[in-house]
Amino acid sequence: MPPQVSYCQSSTSHKTPLLSPNSRFKQILRQKYRQNRMKFTKKKLIPLLVFILFGASIFRFLNISMIRSSINSPIHHHLDCSSSSSSVCPKNIQDQDPSESNSPTDKEMRFLLEFFRSTVPCNLLVFGLEYKYSSLASLNHGGTTLFIEEILQQTTTIKVAINNNNTRVQRITYNTLASNAYHLLREARENPDCRPRLSSDDDLAKCQLALTDLPREVYGTVWDVVVVDGPGGARPDSPGRMGSIYTAGVLARNGGNASHVIVHDVDRTVEKWYSWEYLCEENLVASKGRFWHFRIPGATNNATTFCTT
């Protein structure tokens, strides 16, 4: 009699299903994948993290470069002057070199406006563009405001009425170059006709720093405040501000009372040299950013020098 075979298996045993070759191959791959994941240590993560950080740094650098290039683009400085009634767009704004559009910062303008509010109404003379300092003209109710703007690619002077607040713009040509600043300064020191008080047209003709295109009424007016932010002086072939700073020093000494002269861009060599020479260190009363504020005492008729020290 054949031996009996028991059909009862232990409860702990499991039946292993039969797998097809493809299923068995997939199972082996999954097992190897799990084993490889367990072997992925921290040391293998370091090169990956370095690569990710390096890529992020490159992207950030390129993004910053694109933003800076868009800010420095001439399009960024463009103003809409299509309306002829605009009070902040002089007729020659499109003639201006974008490299010379070095407007005062917000902090610098607050510094200037805070001082100017204490002087209005007054006689205000600005060597610079009207659209940069139109806020001064707006504050100067009852006073006189004259802007002296550089005229480019033209040879005649033009007068432009801005508004009814007794404000005018006089456009003139400058016959100097910033690259000749040192030569002009040396000649002016040796020329007695470049003294603090110019009494005749002959004096204007004999001093190379004198602005001969200015109307004679400018020299005959007592100016309470003179702002110098023009003409252009950023490049060697720009006119430079030698003549405007010298003229500001002369005009500030026309009357018996003290006058104020405020010069912008004193971080540049020419503006710094000529301010020390004709406005004088002892007259410097305040500064903010690239602004220097000088208080010039009225000079006597026989004054032969600008500074006492």
Side-chain angles (χ1 to χ4, degrees), residues 77-124:
H77 298 289
H78 177 70
L79 295 178
D80 183 10
C81 295
S82 57
S83 174
S84 59
S85 61
S86 174
S87 64
V88 296
C89 286
K91 292 185 177 180
N92 67 328
I93 188 173
Q94 295 180 352
D95 297 334
Q96 299 304 316
D97 189 336
S99 66
E100 299 288 0
S101 300
N102 193 21
S103 298
T105 64
D106 291 339
K107 289 184 179 180
E108 290 172 342
M109 281 305 299
R110 285 197 295 270
F111 164 79
L112 182 60
L113 290 172
E114 183 179 353
F115 156 73
F116 191 66
R117 288 189 181 98
S118 65
T119 65
V120 294
C122 66
N123 289 337
L124 169 66

Side-chain angles (χ1 to χ4, degrees), residues 8-274:
C8 295
Q9 294 181 347
S10 172
S11 61
T12 60
S13 64
H14 299 280
K15 186 184 290 185
T16 304
L18 295 176
L19 299 175
S20 66
N22 288 338
S23 299
R24 181 63 179 168
F25 179 73
K26 292 179 179 179
Q27 186 181 33
I28 293 172
L29 289 178
R30 284 195 294 268
Q31 291 175 352
K32 289 184 176 181
Y33 174 72
R34 293 191 189 100
Q35 293 173 357
N36 289 335
R37 285 186 64 184
M38 297 299 293
K39 294 178 181 179
F40 202 81
T41 62
K42 292 182 179 180
K43 289 186 178 180
K44 293 183 179 181
L45 282 174
I46 293 176
L48 179 61
L49 291 175
V50 171
F51 178 79
I52 293 174
L53 291 174
F54 178 77
S57 300
I58 293 295
F59 176 79
R60 181 176 176 80
F61 174 78
L62 293 175
N63 190 35
I64 292 174
S65 299
M66 292 176 64
I67 292 174
R68 287 181 176 176
S69 63
S70 65
I71 291 176
N72 293 327
S73 171
I75 298 175
H76 180 77
H77 298 289
H78 177 70
L79 295 178
D80 183 10
C81 295
S82 57
S83 174
S84 59
S85 61
S86 174
S87 64
V88 296
C89 286
K91 292 185 177 180
N92 67 328
I93 188 173
Q94 295 180 352
D95 297 334
Q96 299 304 316
D97 189 336
S99 66
E100 299 288 0
S101 300
N102 193 21
S103 298
T105 64
D106 291 339
K107 289 184 179 180
E108 290 172 342
M109 281 305 299
R110 285 197 295 270
F111 164 79
L112 182 60
L113 290 172
E114 183 179 353
F115 156 73
F116 191 66
R117 288 189 181 98
S118 65
T119 65
V120 294
C122 66
N123 289 337
L124 169 66
L125 177 66
V126 179
F127 290 95
L129 298 175
E130 187 271 340
Y131 82 92
K132 290 185 181 182
Y133 296 99
S134 58
S135 56
L136 298 183
S138 300
L139 288 174
N140 197 21
H141 293 287
T144 299
T145 304
L146 175 61
F147 291 93
I148 306 296
E149 292 189 349
E150 176 187 1
I151 185 171
L152 302 178
Q153 300 177 349
Q154 299 184 38
T155 58
T156 58
T157 59
I158 301 176
K159 293 182 179 179
V160 182
I162 299 298
N163 53 39
N164 296 324
N165 193 26
N166 203 14
T167 300
R168 291 185 303 136
V169 171
Q170 176 81 35
R171 300 174 63 191
I172 69 172
T173 55
Y174 290 84
N175 300 317
T176 56
L177 290 175
S179 58
N180 294 332
Y182 176 73
H183 174 74
L184 290 172
L185 182 59
R186 186 177 58 184
E187 284 196 349
R189 286 175 175 174
E190 299 173 354
N191 186 355
D193 292 311
C194 294
R195 57 184 178 272
R197 295 184 66 86
L198 301 176
S199 57
S200 66
D201 292 337
D202 291 337
D203 294 336
L204 295 176
K206 293 176 183 178
C207 182
Q208 293 189 46
L209 289 176
L211 301 180
T212 56
D213 276 358
L214 286 179
R216 198 70 183 99
E217 64 183 274
V218 174
Y219 288 100
T221 302
V222 177
W223 299 100
D224 303 298
V225 180
V226 182
V227 177
V228 179
D229 194 12
R235 304 190 316 268
D237 59 344
S238 301
R241 298 177 185 170
M242 300 82 69
S244 55
I245 294 177
Y246 164 79
T247 302
V250 171
L251 297 176
R253 293 169 171 85
N254 268 354
N257 298 325
S259 298
H260 299 268
V261 178
I262 301 175
V263 182
H264 193 231
D265 293 321
V266 293
D267 56 321
R268 301 194 304 216
T269 302
V270 171
E271 284 77 358
K272 189 175 298 182
W273 276 0
Y274 278 75

